Amino acid sequence: MTTTTPRRASYGFDAPPVMLTLGVLAVGFLAAAVGNAAVGNAAPAWLTLLGGLVMGAQFALFLHASRRGKFRAWERLLDDLRLRGDERLLDLGCGRGAVLLAAAKRLPKGRAVGIDLWRSVDQSGNSLATTERNAVAENVADRIELHTGDMTALPFRDGEFDVIVSSLAIHNIKAPARRAAAVREALRVLRPGGHLVLVDIGRTGEYESTLSANGAETLTARTLGWQLWWGGPWTKTHALTAEAPPAT
């Protein structure tokens, strides 16, 4: 059963340069359509109007995914984890805390740990201080812990976490070898039998191969539906779940 609660904090927008580009293109096409119609160029007017409508639809889908879709998807994914409430959870690339703080609400006796490089190109207004303020707004400041660091070299002990999650973060690592390193690091700091949930745009087949090669079990991959289309079905979001290998 989904345990959605009202969001009291501000979580910004994902990939603001991309969203801004879509918005500017939509306005530009629509303005061109009006201009063509005004001078009697019917065919160009219809074409530019169609372009504006397409770009506007892409902008609307992107905005919905950023402001509503990802929250709904993660409520379901967190439900699926069936957390007891005393786990230690790590969020890779936690940003302003959308997933981290939703998880913290479910951990009254546990701890939600977030790590990020705090890059605003990936999320508007992304900073450690912003996430701290959001934690206060959501009444979970006493349940979280924030770190500045690189997910390819995590500053945590082997097997330190019961659950690891990551939302739309690993794809921001450009080099395939470094993305693989991030996935291996996630497995390293996950306790034997612990749960891993990676949500991302593309790349999940790549992550799945790395997890499989490093002994992860019960791997499941699926798409998360239209509410997480970042502009259209060509940028759909996937969820990959797995368990860390048992202790040897």
Side-chain angles (χ1 to χ4, degrees), residues 214-248:
N214 287 272
E217 300 183 344
T218 60
L219 277 74
T220 303
R222 60 188 174 96
T223 59
L224 292 176
W226 74 267
Q227 294 204 67
L228 275 174
W229 286 359
W230 299 89
W234 48 87
T235 48
K236 52 180 83 163
T237 305
H238 300 78
L240 176 63
T241 60
E243 293 181 6
T248 56

Side-chain angles (χ1 to χ4, degrees), residues 11-89:
Y11 295 105
F13 300 91
D14 295 278
V18 177
M19 188 172 69
L20 180 61
T21 298
L22 291 173
V24 168
L25 287 172
V27 171
F29 272 106
L30 292 172
V34 172
N36 283 318
V39 297
N41 293 331
W46 279 110
L47 287 174
T48 49
L49 175 61
L50 178 61
L53 292 174
V54 169
M55 298 307 301
Q58 290 185 60
F59 175 81
L61 284 168
F62 196 103
L63 181 63
H64 175 82
S66 183
R67 301 294 289 176
R68 297 179 70 87
K70 71 179 181 183
F71 294 94
R72 292 175 176 175
W74 270 103
E75 288 291 349
R76 293 191 295 270
L77 290 166
L78 292 172
D79 282 347
D80 291 344
L81 285 170
R82 295 183 175 85
L83 298 171
R84 297 183 309 272
D86 61 352
E87 290 90 350
R88 187 168 173 84
L89 176 147

Side-chain angles (χ1 to χ4, degrees), residues 11-248:
Y11 295 105
F13 300 91
D14 295 278
V18 177
M19 188 172 69
L20 180 61
T21 298
L22 291 173
V24 168
L25 287 172
V27 171
F29 272 106
L30 292 172
V34 172
N36 283 318
V39 297
N41 293 331
W46 279 110
L47 287 174
T48 49
L49 175 61
L50 178 61
L53 292 174
V54 169
M55 298 307 301
Q58 290 185 60
F59 175 81
L61 284 168
F62 196 103
L63 181 63
H64 175 82
S66 183
R67 301 294 289 176
R68 297 179 70 87
K70 71 179 181 183
F71 294 94
R72 292 175 176 175
W74 270 103
E75 288 291 349
R76 293 191 295 270
L77 290 166
L78 292 172
D79 282 347
D80 291 344
L81 285 170
R82 295 183 175 85
L83 298 171
R84 297 183 309 272
D86 61 352
E87 290 90 350
R88 187 168 173 84
L89 176 147
L90 173 64
D91 184 358
L92 302 174
C94 64
R96 295 172 63 148
V99 178
L100 178 75
L101 305 184
K105 291 177 182 180
R106 299 165 181 253
L107 301 172
K109 297 180 180 179
R111 196 78 168 164
V113 180
I115 188 166
D116 205 297
L117 290 173
W118 315 109
R119 295 173 3 129
S120 59
V121 69
D122 300 326
Q123 189 174 58
S124 63
N126 190 20
S127 72
L128 187 148
T130 297
T131 308
E132 289 177 333
R133 288 194 296 272
N134 281 346
V136 171
E138 298 285 11
N139 296 318
V140 292
D142 59 334
R143 302 181 192 179
I144 72 154
E145 180 182 314
L146 298 175
H147 296 262
T148 300
D150 187 338
M151 67 179 81
T152 67
L154 295 171
F156 306 115
R157 302 184 308 274
D158 292 0
E160 185 171 339
F161 296 95
D162 302 294
V163 178
I164 295 179
V165 299
S166 183
S167 182
L168 307 163
I170 300 177
H171 77 274
N172 291 317
I173 302 172
K174 302 308 179 187
R178 297 189 73 242
R179 290 194 295 270
V183 174
R184 288 194 299 271
E185 277 289 272
L187 271 184
R188 178 184 67 79
V189 302
L190 187 60
R191 68 163 175 78
H195 295 280
L196 176 69
V197 183
L198 304 180
V199 168
D200 219 333
I201 306 166
R203 309 294 188 193
T204 47
E206 181 183 300
Y207 310 157
E208 187 172 6
S209 295
T210 301
L211 288 169
S212 181
N214 287 272
E217 300 183 344
T218 60
L219 277 74
T220 303
R222 60 188 174 96
T223 59
L224 292 176
W226 74 267
Q227 294 204 67
L228 275 174
W229 286 359
W230 299 89
W234 48 87
T235 48
K236 52 180 83 163
T237 305
H238 300 78
L240 176 63
T241 60
E243 293 181 6
T248 56

